């Protein structure tokens, strides 16, 4: 692997000279757009995503302590933790339209944890889809027996994603660790191989596996006694809804990651519009983490049942308080009339 000198690269908004009024206006407009998107994300998506994630953790831990242990719930618990990590790391966008200033080493460490959450959530979700697929088409093989041991599967995913994240940390660049630079979670100064590996193992391969799972689910005839396809999907709506959401959001993000790689190979820093779209793609990726947690909370049956119980308890307390207030009001009126 050849080392690359990436000291030439910079953000267009930081280095590109603006010689005309139109360029200045376009720059100001792009800065306003990314600033407003950042504020909307922090105000709406972060609050709902973290609230949903904490509720899911409480529900799953409570069910686990009550010995209501299901493979799917353990996998979704792991998926939830990964997305919560992603949301916390997304606070790095608070400075937008500016960027964090950090050394290459600090930025590489941030990138490692970001990629760990990114790869982890992707592959544990593929494992979740595979578990549901084997539940509908039980082959009785070692693979089926392995999916019945979720802790073993989670351990394998953690090891695999750790190795991928470590590889990506190396591909950020092994030189100039002491230099300061503008830092994104996917560093701009990373080698082109960084984005290629990320696209291949973080989107390309997982998307093929996801499409393969859906193809088998839709095309293969279920064994006798298995529930109908529509019933199977309606039993696990959260998994399939999250699958579609992840694919759409990560497709947009990874297309922009590849586009940035193309610019690097051409030794071009691009334009302020390219920078704007890449920032939008990053925020869309973080929105997906928040949306996935909300979908799990309100669509996955154990979580949905707990939410409904809480709502019913609140309604009973409200109605009980109203009944207690009515006699007091009536008594007050009687004393006033006398």
């Amino acid at each position: 692997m050849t080392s690359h000198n990436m000291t030439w690269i910079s953000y267009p908004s930081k280095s590109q000279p603006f010689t005309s009024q139109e360029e200045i206006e376009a720059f100001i407009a792009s800065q306003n757009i990314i600033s407003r998107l950042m504020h909307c994300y922090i105000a709406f998506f972060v609050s709902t995503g973290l609230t949903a994630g904490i509720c899911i953790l409480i529900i799953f831990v409570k069910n686990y302590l009550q010995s209501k242990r299901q493979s799917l719930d353990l996998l979704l618990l792991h998926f939830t933790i990964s997305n919560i990590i992603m949301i916390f790391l997304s606070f790095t966008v608070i400075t937008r339209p500016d960027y964090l200033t950090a050394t290459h080493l600090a930025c590489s460490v941030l990138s490692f944890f970001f990629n760990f959450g990114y790869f982890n959530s992707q592959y544990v979700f593929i494992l979740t889809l595979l578990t549901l697929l084997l539940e509908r088409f039980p082959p009785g093989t070692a693979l089926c027996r392995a999916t019945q041991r979720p802790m073993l599967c989670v351990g394998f995913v953690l090891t695999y994603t750790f190795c991928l994240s470590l590889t990506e940390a190396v591909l950020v660049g092994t030189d100039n660790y002491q230099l300061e630079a503008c830092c994104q979670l996917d560093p701009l100064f990373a080698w082109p191989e960084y984005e290629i590996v990320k696209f291949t193992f973080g989107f390309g391969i997982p998307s093929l596996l996801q499409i393969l799972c859906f193809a088998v689910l839709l095309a293969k005839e279920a064994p006798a006694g298995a529930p109908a396809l529509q019933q199977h999907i309606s039993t696990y709506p959260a998994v399939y809804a999250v699958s579609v959401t992840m694919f759409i959001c990560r497709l947009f993000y990874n297309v922009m990651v590849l586009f940035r790689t193309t610019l690097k190979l051409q030794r071009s820093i691009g334009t302020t519009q390219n920078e704007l779209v890449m920032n939008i793609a990053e925020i869309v990726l973080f929105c997906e983490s928040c949306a996935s947690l909300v979908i799990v909370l309100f669509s996955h049956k154990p979580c949905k049942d707990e939410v409904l119980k809480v709502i019913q308890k609140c309604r009973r307390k409200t109605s009980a308080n109203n009944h207690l207030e009515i006699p007091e009001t009536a008594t007050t009126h009687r004393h006033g009339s006398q």
Side-chain angles (χ1 to χ4, degrees), residues 11-13 16 259 263 268-277:
Y11 290 99
S13 61
Q16 186 169 300
F259 179 74
L263 292 176
S268 169
I269 63 173
T271 65
T272 53
Q273 285 77 19
N274 301 145
E275 182 181 351
L276 169 65
V277 178

Side-chain angles (χ1 to χ4, degrees), residues 6-281:
M6 301 301 294
T7 55
W8 60 271
I9 199 165
S10 63
Y11 290 99
S13 61
K14 298 292 184 181
S15 60
Q16 186 169 300
F18 302 107
T19 56
S20 66
Q21 184 67 27
E22 290 78 10
E23 289 179 342
I24 295 173
E25 289 176 355
F27 168 73
I28 294 172
S30 65
Q31 297 281 289
N32 287 335
I33 290 171
I34 193 61
S35 179
R36 289 173 183 175
L37 283 176
M38 181 273 294
H39 283 99
C40 290
Y41 167 71
I42 296 295
F44 300 108
F45 284 89
V46 168
S47 56
T48 54
L50 284 179
T51 303
I54 292 169
C55 290
I56 293 168
L57 289 179
I58 293 171
I59 291 168
F60 282 160
V61 170
K62 175 185 172 184
N63 289 344
Y64 184 84
L65 294 176
Q66 293 176 351
S67 299
K68 299 177 182 178
R69 303 170 186 176
Q70 297 182 7
S71 297
L72 182 62
D73 288 355
L74 289 173
L75 294 176
L76 288 177
L77 174 62
H78 188 70
F79 176 75
T80 299
I81 294 171
S82 297
N83 278 285
I84 290 175
I85 292 172
M86 292 273 286
I87 294 172
F88 278 121
L89 288 171
S90 74
F91 281 108
T92 54
V93 304
I94 288 177
T95 57
R96 302 295 161 82
D98 204 354
Y99 298 92
L100 287 175
T101 301
T103 62
H104 284 215
L105 177 60
C107 200
S108 180
V109 171
L110 275 175
S111 178
F112 170 82
F113 287 108
F114 168 63
N115 284 318
F116 186 80
Y118 177 84
F119 290 129
N120 205 20
S121 62
Q122 183 73 72
Y123 281 98
V124 79
F125 195 77
I126 294 298
L127 186 60
T128 304
L129 283 176
L130 183 61
T131 301
L132 294 185
L133 187 68
L134 293 178
E135 182 181 309
R136 182 167 171 79
F137 305 103
T141 61
L143 180 62
C144 186
R145 289 193 294 273
T147 56
Q148 293 173 357
R149 300 175 64 185
M151 297 305 294
L152 177 65
C153 296
V154 166
F156 173 77
V157 169
L158 286 172
T159 304
Y160 179 64
T161 54
F162 176 83
C163 293
L164 280 177
S165 302
L166 194 60
T167 302
E168 288 288 79
V170 172
L171 293 175
V172 168
T174 54
D175 302 323
N176 305 316
Y177 273 155
Q178 75 283 1
L179 295 181
E180 286 195 344
C182 295
C183 179
Q184 274 185 289
L185 292 176
D186 281 320
L188 180 68
F189 53 82
W191 298 349
E193 290 88 350
Y194 173 93
E195 281 101 353
I196 294 171
V197 169
K198 183 153 191 173
F199 176 84
T200 303
F201 292 94
F203 182 75
I205 293 175
S207 294
L208 287 176
L209 293 173
Q210 187 172 325
I211 291 170
L212 182 62
C213 286
F214 275 103
V216 173
L217 181 68
L218 297 173
K220 188 175 180 180
E221 185 177 353
L229 177 60
Q230 186 176 0
Q231 182 183 350
H232 175 78
I233 294 175
S234 62
T235 305
Y236 307 104
V239 176
Y240 297 108
V242 169
S243 181
V244 174
T245 304
M246 286 182 68
F247 179 80
I248 294 172
C249 295
R250 297 197 178 203
L251 174 63
F252 175 46
Y253 174 75
N254 279 274
V255 166
M256 292 312 303
V257 164
L258 276 187
F259 179 74
R260 193 169 75 171
T261 308
T262 305
L263 292 176
K264 287 181 181 180
L265 295 174
Q266 296 172 351
R267 294 189 69 83
S268 169
I269 63 173
T271 65
T272 53
Q273 285 77 19
N274 301 145
E275 182 181 351
L276 169 65
V277 178
M278 186 65 213
N279 280 320
I280 292 173

